[in-house]
Amino acid sequence: MLYAITCEDVENSLEKRKGARAAHLERLEALKQEGRLVLAGPHPAVDADDPGEAGYSGSLIVAEFDSLEDANAWADADPYNPAGVYAKVAVKPFKRVLP
């Protein structure tokens, strides 16, 4: 089943993101290689593709997991967590309708 992982950043998270980004992307790449990643990306803090020093306000990941527990465990192990990037993470089942 698909799950949406919605993450909200702490204030001024940009430097923390930069420090853990490589490890974060490595895990997403593994999901992609397994054919389980639907989409992933950050929410720019301002209305721009490149928010510069404004940074990001959170992230969205939609991926396939065997269960809600597995999705939560994967989200909990994200390198952004111990780096202090996320203030809040929510994991919910997701039903893809389109496209």
Side-chain angles (χ1 to χ4, degrees):
M1 178 164 198
L2 294 178
Y3 295 88
I5 302 170
T6 307
C7 311
E8 293 179 25
D9 282 21
V10 298
E11 292 289 323
N12 302 310
S13 63
L14 187 58
E15 291 306 312
K16 293 174 182 178
R17 274 180 169 270
K18 288 178 182 178
R21 187 170 190 263
H24 171 77
L25 292 177
E26 185 176 311
R27 294 180 78 240
L28 289 170
E29 184 62 34
L31 283 179
K32 179 182 168 190
Q33 293 301 319
E34 295 167 5
R36 297 170 43 204
L37 183 63
V38 174
L39 64 87
H43 299 285
V46 295
D47 190 13
D49 285 336
D50 181 357
E53 291 302 312
Y56 299 92
S57 64
S59 299
L60 172 63
I61 300 162
V62 177
E64 184 178 342
F65 294 93
D66 289 335
S67 67
L68 179 58
E69 293 77 21
D70 288 347
N72 273 305
W74 189 92
D76 288 345
D78 191 309
Y80 278 174
N81 284 319
V85 173
Y86 294 145
K88 181 179 176 184
V89 176
V91 180
K92 296 181 180 182
F94 180 81
K95 182 177 177 180
R96 184 177 184 165
V97 176
L98 294 171

Coordinates of all heavy atoms in Angstrom, one line a residue:
M1 N 0.8 -1.2 0.0 CA 0.0 0.0 0.0 C 0.9 1.2 0.0 O 2.0 1.2 0.5 CB -0.9 0.0 1.2 CG -1.8 1.2 1.3 SD -3.1 0.9 2.5 CE -4.2 2.3 2.0
L2 N 0.3 2.3 -0.5 CA 1.0 3.6 -0.5 C 0.8 4.3 0.8 O -0.3 4.2 1.4 CB 0.6 4.5 -1.7 CG 0.9 4.0 -3.1 CD1 0.4 4.9 -4.1 CD2 2.4 3.8 -3.2
Y3 N 1.8 5.1 1.2 CA 1.7 5.9 2.4 C 2.3 7.3 2.1 O 3.3 7.4 1.4 CB 2.5 5.3 3.6 CG 1.9 4.0 4.0 CD1 2.2 2.8 3.4 CD2 0.9 4.0 5.0 CE1 1.6 1.6 3.7 CE2 0.2 2.8 5.3 CZ 0.6 1.6 4.7 OH 0.0 0.5 5.0
A4 N 1.7 8.3 2.6 CA 2.2 9.7 2.5 C 2.9 10.1 3.8 O 2.3 9.9 4.9 CB 1.0 10.7 2.2
I5 N 4.1 10.5 3.7 CA 4.9 10.9 4.8 C 5.0 12.4 4.7 O 5.7 12.9 3.8 CB 6.3 10.2 4.9 CG1 6.1 8.7 4.9 CG2 7.1 10.7 6.1 CD1 7.4 7.9 4.7
T6 N 4.4 13.1 5.6 CA 4.4 14.6 5.6 C 5.2 15.1 6.8 O 4.9 14.7 7.9 CB 2.9 15.1 5.6 OG1 2.2 14.5 4.6 CG2 2.9 16.6 5.5
C7 N 6.2 15.9 6.4 CA 7.1 16.4 7.5 C 7.1 17.9 7.5 O 7.1 18.5 6.5 CB 8.6 15.9 7.2 SG 8.6 14.1 6.8
E8 N 7.2 18.4 8.8 CA 7.3 19.8 9.0 C 8.6 20.1 9.6 O 9.0 19.5 10.6 CB 6.2 20.3 9.9 CG 4.8 20.2 9.3 CD 3.7 20.7 10.3 OE1 4.0 21.5 11.2 OE2 2.6 20.2 10.2
D9 N 9.3 21.1 9.0 CA 10.6 21.5 9.5 C 10.6 22.4 10.7 O 9.6 23.1 11.0 CB 11.4 22.3 8.5 CG 12.0 21.4 7.4 OD1 11.5 20.2 7.2 OD2 12.9 21.9 6.7
V10 N 11.6 22.3 11.5 CA 11.8 23.3 12.6 C 12.1 24.6 11.9 O 12.5 24.7 10.7 CB 12.9 22.9 13.6 CG1 12.6 21.6 14.3 CG2 14.3 22.8 12.9
E11 N 12.1 25.7 12.6 CA 12.5 27.0 12.1 C 14.0 27.0 11.8 O 14.8 26.3 12.5 CB 12.3 28.1 13.1 CG 10.8 28.4 13.4 CD 10.1 29.1 12.3 OE1 10.7 29.9 11.6 OE2 8.9 28.7 12.0
N12 N 14.4 27.7 10.7 CA 15.8 27.8 10.3 C 16.5 26.4 10.2 O 17.6 26.2 10.7 CB 16.5 28.7 11.3 CG 15.9 30.0 11.4 OD1 15.7 30.7 10.4 ND2 15.6 30.5 12.6
S13 N 15.8 25.5 9.4 CA 16.3 24.2 9.3 C 17.4 24.0 8.2 O 17.9 22.9 8.0 CB 15.2 23.2 9.0 OG 14.6 23.6 7.8
L14 N 17.6 25.0 7.4 CA 18.4 24.9 6.2 C 19.8 24.2 6.4 O 20.2 23.3 5.7 CB 18.6 26.2 5.4 CG 19.3 26.1 4.1 CD1 18.5 25.2 3.1 CD2 19.4 27.5 3.4
E15 N 20.5 24.7 7.4 CA 21.9 24.2 7.6 C 21.8 22.7 8.1 O 22.6 21.9 7.8 CB 22.6 25.1 8.6 CG 23.0 26.4 8.1 CD 23.8 26.3 6.7 OE1 24.8 25.5 6.7 OE2 23.5 27.0 5.8
K16 N 20.8 22.4 8.9 CA 20.6 21.1 9.4 C 20.3 20.1 8.2 O 20.8 19.0 8.1 CB 19.5 21.0 10.4 CG 19.8 21.7 11.7 CD 18.6 21.7 12.7 CE 19.0 22.5 13.9 NZ 17.9 22.6 14.9
R17 N 19.5 20.6 7.3 CA 19.1 19.9 6.1 C 20.4 19.6 5.3 O 20.6 18.4 4.8 CB 18.2 20.6 5.2 CG 16.7 20.5 5.5 CD 15.8 21.3 4.6 NE 14.5 20.9 4.8 CZ 13.9 19.9 4.1 NH1 14.5 19.3 3.2 NH2 12.6 19.6 4.3
K18 N 21.2 20.6 5.1 CA 22.4 20.4 4.3 C 23.3 19.4 4.9 O 23.9 18.6 4.1 CB 23.2 21.8 4.2 CG 22.5 22.8 3.3 CD 23.3 24.1 3.3 CE 22.6 25.1 2.4 NZ 23.3 26.4 2.4
G19 N 23.4 19.3 6.2 CA 24.3 18.4 6.8 C 23.9 16.9 6.7 O 24.7 16.0 6.7
A20 N 22.6 16.7 6.6 CA 22.0 15.3 6.5 C 21.5 15.0 5.2 O 21.0 13.8 5.0 CB 21.0 15.1 7.6
R21 N 21.6 15.9 4.2 CA 20.9 15.7 2.9 C 21.4 14.4 2.1 O 20.6 13.7 1.6 CB 21.1 16.9 2.0 CG 20.3 16.9 0.7 CD 20.3 18.2 0.0 NE 19.4 18.2 -1.1 CZ 19.7 18.0 -2.3 NH1 21.0 17.7 -2.7 NH2 18.8 18.0 -3.3
A22 N 22.7 14.2 2.1 CA 23.3 13.1 1.3 C 22.7 11.8 1.8 O 22.3 10.9 1.1 CB 24.8 13.1 1.4
A23 N 22.7 11.6 3.2 CA 22.1 10.3 3.7 C 20.6 10.2 3.5 O 20.1 9.1 3.2 CB 22.4 10.3 5.2
H24 N 19.9 11.3 3.6 CA 18.5 11.4 3.3 C 18.2 11.0 1.9 O 17.3 10.1 1.6 CB 18.0 12.8 3.6 CG 16.6 13.1 3.2 ND1 15.5 12.7 3.9 CD2 16.1 13.8 2.1 CE1 14.4 13.1 3.4 NE2 14.7 13.7 2.3
L25 N 18.9 11.5 0.9 CA 18.7 11.2 -0.5 C 19.1 9.8 -0.8 O 18.5 9.1 -1.7 CB 19.5 12.2 -1.4 CG 19.0 13.6 -1.4 CD1 19.9 14.5 -2.2 CD2 17.5 13.7 -1.8
E26 N 20.1 9.2 -0.1 CA 20.5 7.9 -0.3 C 19.4 6.9 0.0 O 19.1 5.9 -0.7 CB 21.7 7.6 0.5 CG 22.3 6.2 0.3 CD 23.6 6.0 1.2 OE1 24.5 6.9 1.2 OE2 23.6 5.0 1.9
R27 N 18.7 7.1 1.1 CA 17.5 6.3 1.4 C 16.4 6.4 0.4 O 15.7 5.4 0.1 CB 17.0 6.7 2.8 CG 18.1 6.3 3.9 CD 17.6 6.7 5.3 NE 16.6 5.7 5.7 CZ 15.4 5.9 6.1 NH1 14.9 7.1 6.0 NH2 14.6 4.9 6.5
L28 N 16.2 7.6 -0.1 CA 15.1 7.8 -1.1 C 15.5 7.1 -2.4 O 14.7 6.5 -3.0 CB 14.9 9.3 -1.3 CG 14.2 10.0 -0.2 CD1 14.2 11.5 -0.4 CD2 12.8 9.5 0.0
E29 N 16.8 7.2 -2.7 CA 17.2 6.5 -3.9 C 17.0 5.0 -3.8 O 16.7 4.3 -4.8 CB 18.7 6.9 -4.2 CG 19.3 6.3 -5.5 CD 18.6 6.8 -6.7 OE1 18.1 8.0 -6.8 OE2 18.5 6.0 -7.7
A30 N 17.3 4.4 -2.6 CA 17.0 3.0 -2.4 C 15.6 2.7 -2.7 O 15.3 1.6 -3.3 CB 17.5 2.6 -1.0
L31 N 14.6 3.5 -2.2 CA 13.2 3.2 -2.4 C 12.9 3.3 -3.9 O 12.2 2.5 -4.5 CB 12.4 4.3 -1.7 CG 12.1 4.1 -0.2 CD1 11.2 5.3 0.3 CD2 11.5 2.8 0.1
K32 N 13.5 4.3 -4.6 CA 13.4 4.4 -6.0 C 13.8 3.2 -6.8 O 13.2 2.7 -7.6 CB 14.1 5.7 -6.5 CG 14.0 5.9 -8.0 CD 14.8 7.1 -8.4 CE 14.9 7.2 -9.9 NZ 15.9 8.2 -10.3
Q33 N 15.0 2.7 -6.4 CA 15.6 1.6 -7.1 C 14.7 0.3 -6.9 O 14.7 -0.6 -7.7 CB 17.0 1.3 -6.6 CG 18.0 2.4 -7.0 CD 18.1 2.6 -8.5 OE1 18.1 1.6 -9.3 NE2 18.2 3.8 -9.0
E34 N 14.1 0.2 -5.7 CA 13.2 -0.9 -5.4 C 11.8 -0.7 -6.1 O 11.0 -1.6 -6.0 CB 13.0 -1.0 -3.9 CG 14.3 -1.4 -3.2 CD 14.2 -1.2 -1.7 OE1 13.1 -0.9 -1.2 OE2 15.2 -1.4 -1.0
G35 N 11.6 0.4 -6.8 CA 10.3 0.7 -7.5 C 9.2 1.0 -6.5 O 8.0 0.9 -6.9
R36 N 9.5 1.5 -5.3 CA 8.5 1.8 -4.3 C 8.3 3.3 -4.1 O 7.3 3.7 -3.4 CB 9.0 1.2 -3.0 CG 9.1 -0.3 -3.0 CD 9.8 -0.9 -1.8 NE 9.3 -0.3 -0.6 CZ 10.1 -0.3 0.5 NH1 11.3 -0.9 0.6 NH2 9.6 0.2 1.6
L37 N 9.1 4.2 -4.7 CA 8.9 5.6 -4.5 C 8.0 6.2 -5.6 O 8.3 6.0 -6.8 CB 10.3 6.3 -4.6 CG 10.3 7.8 -4.3 CD1 9.8 8.1 -2.9 CD2 11.7 8.3 -4.5
V38 N 7.0 6.9 -5.2 CA 6.1 7.5 -6.1 C 6.6 9.0 -6.4 O 6.7 9.4 -7.5 CB 4.6 7.5 -5.6 CG1 3.7 8.4 -6.5 CG2 4.1 6.1 -5.5
L39 N 6.9 9.7 -5.3 CA 7.4 11.0 -5.4 C 8.0 11.4 -4.0 O 7.7 10.9 -3.0 CB 6.3 12.0 -5.8 CG 5.1 12.3 -4.8 CD1 5.4 13.4 -3.8 CD2 3.9 12.7 -5.6
A40 N 8.9 12.4 -4.1 CA 9.5 12.9 -2.9 C 10.1 14.3 -3.2 O 10.6 14.5 -4.3 CB 10.6 12.0 -2.4
G41 N 10.0 15.2 -2.2 CA 10.6 16.5 -2.4 C 10.2 17.4 -1.2 O 9.3 17.1 -0.4
P42 N 11.0 18.5 -1.1 CA 10.7 19.5 -0.1 C 9.7 20.5 -0.5 O 9.4 20.7 -1.6 CB 12.1 20.1 0.1 CG 12.7 20.1 -1.3 CD 12.2 18.8 -1.9
H43 N 9.2 21.2 0.6 CA 8.3 22.3 0.4 C 9.2 23.6 0.5 O 9.6 23.9 1.7 CB 7.2 22.4 1.4 CG 6.3 21.2 1.4 ND1 5.3 21.0 0.5 CD2 6.2 20.1 2.3 CE1 4.7 19.9 0.7 NE2 5.2 19.3 1.8
P44 N 9.4 24.4 -0.5 CA 10.1 25.6 -0.4 C 9.4 26.5 0.6 O 8.2 26.6 0.6 CB 10.2 26.2 -1.8 CG 10.0 25.0 -2.7 CD 9.1 24.1 -1.9
A45 N 10.2 27.3 1.4 CA 9.6 28.2 2.4 C 9.0 29.4 1.7 O 8.2 30.1 2.3 CB 10.6 28.6 3.4
V46 N 9.4 29.7 0.5 CA 8.9 30.8 -0.3 C 8.4 30.3 -1.6 O 8.8 29.2 -2.0 CB 9.9 31.9 -0.4 CG1 10.2 32.6 0.9 CG2 11.2 31.5 -1.1
D47 N 7.7 31.1 -2.4 CA 7.1 30.7 -3.7 C 8.2 30.7 -4.8 O 8.2 31.7 -5.6 CB 5.9 31.6 -4.0 CG 5.2 31.1 -5.2 OD1 5.4 29.9 -5.6 OD2 4.3 31.8 -5.7
A48 N 9.1 29.8 -4.7 CA 10.2 29.7 -5.7 C 10.8 28.3 -5.8 O 10.8 27.6 -4.7 CB 11.3 30.7 -5.3
D49 N 11.2 27.9 -6.9 CA 11.9 26.6 -7.1 C 13.1 26.5 -6.2 O 13.4 25.5 -5.6 CB 12.2 26.3 -8.5 CG 11.0 25.9 -9.4 OD1 10.0 25.5 -8.8 OD2 11.1 26.1 -10.6
D50 N 13.9 27.6 -6.2 CA 15.1 27.7 -5.4 C 14.9 28.7 -4.3 O 15.0 29.9 -4.6 CB 16.3 28.0 -6.2 CG 17.6 28.1 -5.4 OD1 17.5 27.9 -4.2 OD2 18.7 28.3 -6.0
P51 N 14.5 28.3 -3.1 CA 14.2 29.3 -2.1 C 15.4 30.0 -1.5 O 15.2 30.9 -0.6 CB 13.5 28.5 -1.0 CG 14.1 27.2 -1.1 CD 14.4 27.0 -2.6
G52 N 16.6 29.6 -1.9 CA 17.8 30.3 -1.3 C 17.9 30.1 0.2 O 17.6 29.1 0.7
E53 N 18.2 31.2 0.8 CA 18.4 31.2 2.3 C 17.1 31.0 3.0 O 17.1 30.8 4.2 CB 19.2 32.4 2.7 CG 20.6 32.5 2.3 CD 21.4 31.3 2.8 OE1 21.3 30.9 4.0 OE2 22.1 30.6 2.0
A54 N 16.0 31.2 2.4 CA 14.7 31.0 3.0 C 14.5 29.5 3.4 O 13.8 29.2 4.4 CB 13.5 31.5 2.1
G55 N 15.1 28.7 2.6 CA 15.1 27.2 3.0 C 13.8 26.6 2.7 O 13.1 27.0 1.8
Y56 N 13.5 25.6 3.5 CA 12.3 24.7 3.3 C 11.5 24.7 4.5 O 12.0 24.8 5.6 CB 12.7 23.3 2.8 CG 13.5 23.4 1.5 CD1 14.9 23.5 1.5 CD2 12.9 23.4 0.3 CE1 15.6 23.6 0.3 CE2 13.6 23.5 -0.9 CZ 14.9 23.6 -0.8 OH 15.6 23.7 -2.0
S57 N 10.2 24.4 4.3 CA 9.3 24.3 5.5 C 8.9 22.9 5.8 O 8.2 22.6 6.8 CB 8.0 25.1 5.2 OG 7.3 24.6 4.1
G58 N 9.3 21.9 5.0 CA 9.0 20.5 5.2 C 9.2 19.7 4.0 O 9.9 20.1 3.0
S59 N 8.7 18.5 4.0 CA 8.9 17.5 2.9 C 7.7 16.6 2.8 O 6.9 16.5 3.7 CB 10.1 16.6 3.2 OG 11.3 17.3 3.4
L60 N 7.6 16.1 1.6 CA 6.5 15.1 1.3 C 7.1 13.9 0.6 O 7.9 14.1 -0.4 CB 5.4 15.7 0.4 CG 4.3 14.8 -0.1 CD1 3.5 14.2 1.0 CD2 3.5 15.5 -1.1
I61 N 6.8 12.7 1.1 CA 7.3 11.5 0.4 C 6.0 10.6 0.3 O 5.3 10.4 1.2 CB 8.3 10.8 1.3 CG1 9.5 11.7 1.5 CG2 8.7 9.4 0.7 CD1 10.4 11.3 2.7
V62 N 5.8 10.1 -0.9 CA 4.8 9.1 -1.1 C 5.5 7.8 -1.6 O 6.2 7.8 -2.6 CB 3.7 9.5 -2.1 CG1 2.7 8.4 -2.3 CG2 3.0 10.8 -1.6
A63 N 5.3 6.7 -0.9 CA 6.0 5.5 -1.2 C 5.2 4.3 -0.8 O 4.3 4.4 0.1 CB 7.4 5.5 -0.6
E64 N 5.6 3.1 -1.3 CA 5.0 1.9 -1.0 C 5.7 1.2 0.2 O 6.9 1.1 0.2 CB 5.0 1.0 -2.2 CG 4.2 -0.3 -2.0 CD 4.2 -1.2 -3.3 OE1 4.4 -0.6 -4.4 OE2 3.9 -2.4 -3.1
F65 N 4.9 0.7 1.1 CA 5.4 -0.1 2.3 C 4.4 -1.2 2.5 O 3.2 -1.1 2.1 CB 5.5 0.8 3.5 CG 6.5 1.9 3.4 CD1 6.2 3.2 3.0 CD2 7.9 1.6 3.7 CE1 7.1 4.2 2.8 CE2 8.8 2.6 3.6 CZ 8.5 3.9 3.1
D66 N 4.8 -2.2 3.2 CA 4.0 -3.4 3.5 C 2.9 -3.1 4.5 O 1.8 -3.7 4.5 CB 4.8 -4.6 4.0 CG 5.7 -5.2 2.9 OD1 5.3 -5.1 1.7 OD2 6.7 -5.8 3.3
S67 N 3.2 -2.1 5.4 CA 2.2 -1.8 6.4 C 2.5 -0.3 6.9 O 3.5 0.2 6.7 CB 2.3 -2.7 7.6 OG 3.6 -2.6 8.2
L68 N 1.5 0.2 7.7 CA 1.7 1.5 8.3 C 2.8 1.4 9.3 O 3.6 2.4 9.4 CB 0.4 1.9 9.1 CG 0.4 3.2 9.8 CD1 0.7 4.4 8.9 CD2 -1.0 3.4 10.5
E69 N 3.0 0.3 10.0 CA 4.1 0.2 10.9 C 5.5 0.3 10.2 O 6.4 1.0 10.7 CB 4.0 -1.1 11.7 CG 2.8 -1.2 12.6 CD 1.5 -1.5 12.0 OE1 1.5 -2.0 10.8 OE2 0.5 -1.1 12.6
D70 N 5.5 -0.4 9.0 CA 6.8 -0.3 8.2 C 7.0 1.1 7.7 O 8.2 1.6 7.8 CB 6.7 -1.2 7.1 CG 6.9 -2.7 7.4 OD1 7.2 -3.0 8.6 OD2 6.6 -3.5 6.6
A71 N 6.0 1.8 7.3 CA 6.1 3.2 6.8 C 6.6 4.1 8.0 O 7.5 5.0 7.8 CB 4.8 3.7 6.3
N72 N 6.0 3.9 9.2 CA 6.4 4.7 10.3 C 7.9 4.4 10.7 O 8.6 5.4 11.0 CB 5.5 4.4 11.5 CG 4.3 5.3 11.5 OD1 4.4 6.5 11.5 ND2 3.1 4.7 11.6
A73 N 8.3 3.2 10.7 CA 9.6 2.8 11.0 C 10.6 3.4 10.0 O 11.7 4.0 10.4 CB 9.8 1.3 11.0
W74 N 10.3 3.4 8.7 CA 11.1 4.0 7.7 C 11.2 5.5 8.0 O 12.3 6.1 7.9 CB 10.6 3.8 6.3 CG 11.5 4.2 5.3 CD1 12.5 3.4 4.7 CD2 11.6 5.5 4.7 NE1 13.2 4.1 3.7 CE2 12.7 5.4 3.7 CE3 10.9 6.7 4.8 CZ2 13.0 6.5 2.9 CZ3 11.3 7.8 4.1 CH2 12.3 7.7 3.1
A75 N 10.1 6.2 8.3 CA 10.1 7.6 8.5 C 10.9 8.0 9.8 O 11.7 8.9 9.8 CB 8.7 8.1 8.6
D76 N 10.8 7.2 10.8 CA 11.5 7.4 12.0 C 13.0 7.3 11.8 O 13.8 8.0 12.5 CB 11.1 6.4 13.1 CG 9.7 6.6 13.7 OD1 9.2 7.7 13.4 OD2 9.2 5.7 14.3
A77 N 13.5 6.5 10.9 CA 14.9 6.3 10.6 C 15.5 7.3 9.7 O 16.7 7.2 9.4 CB 15.1 4.8 10.1
D78 N 14.7 8.2 9.2 CA 15.2 9.2 8.3 C 16.3 10.0 8.9 O 16.2 10.5 10.1 CB 14.1 10.2 7.9 CG 14.4 11.1 6.7 OD1 15.5 11.8 6.8 OD2 13.7 11.2 5.8
P79 N 17.4 10.2 8.3 CA 18.6 11.0 8.8 C 18.2 12.4 9.2 O 18.9 13.0 10.0 CB 19.6 11.0 7.7 CG 19.3 9.7 6.9 CD 17.8 9.6 7.0
Y80 N 17.2 13.0 8.7 CA 16.8 14.3 9.0 C 16.2 14.4 10.5 O 16.3 15.4 11.1 CB 15.7 14.8 8.1 CG 16.2 15.4 6.8 CD1 15.3 15.8 5.8 CD2 17.6 15.6 6.6 CE1 15.8 16.4 4.6 CE2 18.0 16.1 5.4 CZ 17.1 16.5 4.4 OH 17.6 17.0 3.2
N81 N 15.8 13.2 11.0 CA 15.3 13.2 12.4 C 16.4 13.5 13.4 O 16.3 14.4 14.2 CB 14.5 11.9 12.7 CG 13.2 11.9 12.1 OD1 12.5 12.9 12.1 ND2 12.8 10.8 11.5
P82 N 17.4 12.7 13.5 CA 18.5 12.9 14.4 C 19.2 14.2 14.2 O 19.8 14.8 15.1 CB 19.4 11.7 14.3 CG 19.1 11.1 13.0 CD 17.7 11.4 12.7
A83 N 19.2 14.7 12.9 CA 19.8 16.0 12.6 C 19.0 17.2 13.1 O 19.5 18.3 13.1 CB 20.0 16.1 11.1
G84 N 17.8 16.9 13.6 CA 16.9 18.0 14.1 C 16.2 18.8 13.0 O 15.8 19.9 13.3
V85 N 16.0 18.3 11.8 CA 15.4 19.0 10.8 C 13.9 19.1 11.0 O 13.2 20.1 10.8 CB 15.7 18.4 9.4 CG1 14.8 19.0 8.3 CG2 17.2 18.5 9.1
Y86 N 13.3 17.9 11.4 CA 11.8 17.9 11.5 C 11.3 18.2 12.9 O 11.8 17.6 13.9 CB 11.4 16.5 11.0 CG 11.6 16.1 9.6 CD1 11.9 14.8 9.2 CD2 11.5 17.1 8.6 CE1 12.1 14.5 7.9 CE2 11.7 16.7 7.3 CZ 12.0 15.5 6.9 OH 12.2 15.1 5.6
A87 N 10.3 19.0 12.9 CA 9.5 19.2 14.1 C 8.4 18.2 14.3 O 8.0 17.9 15.4 CB 9.0 20.6 14.1
K88 N 7.8 17.8 13.2 CA 6.7 16.9 13.2 C 6.7 16.0 11.9 O 7.0 16.5 10.9 CB 5.4 17.7 13.3 CG 4.1 17.0 13.3 CD 3.0 17.9 13.4 CE 1.6 17.2 13.4 NZ 0.5 18.1 13.4
V89 N 6.3 14.8 12.1 CA 6.2 13.8 11.0 C 4.9 13.1 11.1 O 4.6 12.6 12.2 CB 7.4 12.8 10.9 CG1 7.2 11.8 9.8 CG2 8.7 13.5 10.8
A90 N 4.1 13.1 10.0 CA 2.9 12.3 10.0 C 2.9 11.3 8.9 O 3.3 11.6 7.8 CB 1.7 13.3 9.8
V91 N 2.5 10.1 9.2 CA 2.4 9.0 8.2 C 1.0 8.6 8.1 O 0.4 8.2 9.1 CB 3.4 7.9 8.5 CG1 3.3 6.8 7.5 CG2 4.8 8.3 8.8
K92 N 0.5 8.6 6.8 CA -0.9 8.2 6.6 C -1.0 7.3 5.4 O -0.3 7.5 4.4 CB -1.8 9.4 6.4 CG -1.9 10.3 7.5 CD -2.9 11.5 7.2 CE -3.0 12.4 8.3 NZ -3.9 13.5 8.0
P93 N -2.0 6.4 5.4 CA -2.2 5.6 4.1 C -2.6 6.6 3.0 O -3.3 7.6 3.3 CB -3.4 4.7 4.5 CG -3.3 4.6 6.0 CD -2.8 5.9 6.5
F94 N -2.3 6.2 1.8 CA -2.5 7.1 0.7 C -3.1 6.3 -0.5 O -2.6 5.2 -0.8 CB -1.2 7.8 0.2 CG -1.4 8.7 -1.0 CD1 -1.9 10.0 -0.8 CD2 -1.1 8.3 -2.2 CE1 -2.0 10.9 -1.8 CE2 -1.2 9.2 -3.3 CZ -1.7 10.4 -3.1
K95 N -4.2 6.7 -1.0 CA -4.8 6.0 -2.2 C -4.6 6.9 -3.4 O -5.1 8.0 -3.5 CB -6.3 5.8 -2.0 CG -6.9 5.0 -3.1 CD -8.4 4.8 -2.9 CE -9.0 4.1 -4.1 NZ -10.4 3.7 -3.9
R96 N -3.8 6.4 -4.3 CA -3.6 7.0 -5.6 C -4.7 6.9 -6.5 O -5.2 5.8 -6.8 CB -2.3 6.5 -6.2 CG -1.9 7.2 -7.5 CD -0.6 6.6 -8.0 NE -0.1 7.4 -9.1 CZ 1.1 7.2 -9.6 NH1 2.0 6.4 -9.0 NH2 1.4 7.9 -10.7
V97 N -5.3 8.0 -7.0 CA -6.4 8.0 -7.9 C -5.9 8.4 -9.3 O -6.3 7.8 -10.3 CB -7.6 8.9 -7.4 CG1 -8.7 8.9 -8.4 CG2 -8.1 8.3 -6.1
L98 N -5.2 9.5 -9.4 CA -4.7 10.0 -10.6 C -3.2 10.4 -10.5 O -2.7 10.7 -9.4 CB -5.4 11.3 -11.0 CG -6.9 11.1 -11.3 CD1 -7.5 12.5 -11.5 CD2 -7.1 10.3 -12.6
P99 N -2.4 10.4 -11.5 CA -2.7 9.8 -12.8 C -2.6 8.3 -12.7 O -2.0 7.7 -12.0 CB -1.6 10.4 -13.7 CG -0.4 10.7 -12.7 CD -1.1 11.0 -11.4

